[in-house]
Amino acid sequence: METYRAILKGNRLEWTDAAPTDLNAEQPVEVTIVNSPDNSDAVTRGRRMVEILERLAATNAFSEISDPSEWQREIRKDRPLPGRET
């Protein structure tokens, strides 16, 4: 069994990679529907995130943090990892 990638457009398959070369006019096939995530939600969330980050930047919300790495270590309360003592 071989696998070929295609997109269903109406009642026809449009090959996205090289099409099979040895099909006859009434070749039996099995089609597996691949569910792809709806990107519109991700795009909407991304745009919203950009708006929020732009507002934070405009207000200098984090200007009091002089060393972001040190601040992150404090917030996360990092613990030494085994074998990684500094």
Side-chain angles (χ1 to χ4, degrees):
M1 179 186 292
E2 296 181 52
T3 302
Y4 298 92
R5 298 185 60 79
I7 296 174
L8 180 63
K9 292 194 175 187
N11 63 351
R12 297 178 184 262
L13 291 175
E14 183 176 294
W15 305 109
T16 56
D17 297 330
T21 57
D22 56 353
L23 295 180
N24 62 47
E26 294 187 21
Q27 176 77 39
V29 298
E30 293 181 11
V31 176
T32 302
I33 304 299
V34 178
N35 292 327
S36 59
D38 182 8
N39 287 338
S40 63
D41 287 342
V43 170
T44 301
R45 281 193 313 269
R47 287 182 183 150
R48 182 77 178 127
M49 191 181 312
V50 166
E51 291 171 8
I52 292 168
L53 290 171
E54 285 175 343
R55 279 190 272 167
L56 281 171
T59 63
N60 290 323
F62 302 106
S63 61
E64 73 278 0
I65 299 172
S66 59
D67 184 350
S69 296
E70 180 61 31
W71 174 83
Q72 185 179 28
R73 279 191 290 279
E74 285 180 34
I75 295 299
R76 291 178 48 207
K77 297 182 173 126
D78 284 347
R79 61 179 176 77
L81 298 176
R84 292 192 177 181
E85 293 81 20
T86 56

